[in-house]
Amino acid sequence: MAHPSQLGFQDAASPVMEELLHFHDHALMIVFMISTLVLYIIIAMVSTKLTNKYILDSQEIEIIWTILPAVILIIIAIPSLRILYLMDEINDPHLTVKAMGHQWYWSYEYTDYENLGFDSYMIPTQDLTPGQFRLLETDHRMVVPMESPIRMLVSAEDVLHSWAVPALGVKMDAVPGRLNQTAFIASRPGVFYGQCSEICGANHSFMPIVVEAVPLEHFENWSSLMLEDA
């Protein structure tokens, strides 16, 4: 998860998020090179007293500074489109979870099971135990098996919400009356935090998301316990 004074992204916990981090670094290097070139040209133009008469009216330079930006945009667009299509791919999911946004909590339903669902509320600050995070902990975590394709169905019951977990590279709007779909694979075990990312009212800041990725055996034990308690 994020830590104080962090400048970059959270550590990736899914293949899609790793691709997004690589694309961010790729685009940032291009921006850095463009900025360096522009800064050099500005300093050169301001500081020199000489004038090159061939630069004042040069067809070759106009061709270069027209074609070069187009080439740079293509270099950025191709990997961007590739990741965009990767994020839309949902191939044979092992588990489907439906997340419903409410004012102001999330409810989860494991549709592959007959009666497995629960509401997830934020734990109030006064009830936190040592080591838990303020405004991020919930009374029920969304538990999923690691290294398995998970399909998320996201909707809302009242107003617009957004189900987002940065470490997994997932963000999907929850729209009343509409069922949106996304997918992720947790590549390692861990607890991953997110929050509603669409302003949804007075307590928008108080409906966190906690995804716990565990080995498949532990997930089966957890689901059996939840079904017994239901």
Side-chain angles (χ1 to χ4, degrees):
M1 64 172 294
H3 56 79
S5 304
Q6 179 174 332
L7 295 178
F9 289 97
Q10 298 181 26
D11 292 337
S14 73
V16 167
M17 191 60 197
E18 288 179 10
E19 293 286 344
L20 289 170
L21 289 179
H22 293 153
F23 174 70
H24 168 265
D25 296 341
H26 166 72
L28 195 65
M29 284 307 300
I30 293 174
V31 170
F32 178 74
M33 288 188 292
I34 293 171
S35 301
T36 303
L37 176 63
V38 171
L39 183 63
Y40 168 75
I41 292 173
I42 290 173
I43 292 173
M45 294 293 290
V46 170
S47 60
T48 185
K49 294 181 180 179
L50 301 175
T51 301
N52 188 330
K53 64 180 182 179
Y54 296 108
I55 293 180
L56 294 178
D57 185 21
S58 174
Q59 293 290 334
E60 291 79 8
I61 289 179
E62 289 188 11
I63 292 171
I64 291 171
W65 71 37
T66 300
I67 293 176
L68 190 60
V71 172
I72 292 171
L73 287 175
I74 292 170
I75 292 171
I76 294 174
I78 290 174
S80 174
L81 289 170
R82 173 178 166 271
I83 296 172
L84 196 62
Y85 279 97
L86 277 176
M87 292 174 73
D88 277 342
E89 282 292 325
I90 302 176
N91 293 322
D92 191 23
H94 295 176
L95 182 70
T96 299
V97 184
K98 184 168 73 174
M100 288 288 292
H102 308 264
Q103 289 183 309
W104 286 273
Y105 65 95
W106 292 97
S107 61
Y108 298 100
E109 180 183 337
Y110 290 71
T111 58
D112 299 289
Y113 295 82
E114 189 173 339
N115 190 25
L116 179 51
F118 50 84
D119 296 331
S120 180
Y121 290 88
M122 186 192 76
I123 299 177
T125 303
Q126 63 270 19
D127 296 335
L128 292 173
T129 58
Q132 290 186 319
F133 299 105
R134 189 178 73 89
L135 302 183
L136 288 177
E137 294 289 351
T138 59
D139 56 354
H140 291 95
R141 292 173 173 174
M142 190 188 104
V143 181
V144 297
M146 58 175 282
E147 296 181 340
S148 297
I150 309 298
R151 174 171 55 190
M152 289 298 305
L153 302 176
V154 184
S155 188
E157 197 175 62
D158 35 47
V159 298
L160 289 174
H161 299 277
S162 184
W163 198 85
V165 183
L168 297 172
V170 178
K171 182 177 181 181
M172 180 57 65
D173 285 347
V175 183
R178 175 172 176 166
L179 204 60
N180 288 330
Q181 179 176 259
T182 187
F184 66 88
I185 300 174
S187 53
R188 56 185 169 86
V191 180
F192 311 110
Y193 295 92
Q195 290 177 299
C196 178
S197 298
E198 188 77 48
I199 295 176
C200 56
N203 292 334
H204 160 67
S205 303
F206 308 118
M207 49 183 301
I209 300 156
V210 184
V211 177
E212 184 175 358
V214 297
L216 180 59
E217 182 183 350
H218 294 185
F219 173 78
E220 289 174 343
N221 294 336
W222 171 84
S223 61
S224 299
L225 289 172
M226 292 292 290
L227 289 169
E228 289 175 5
D229 294 339

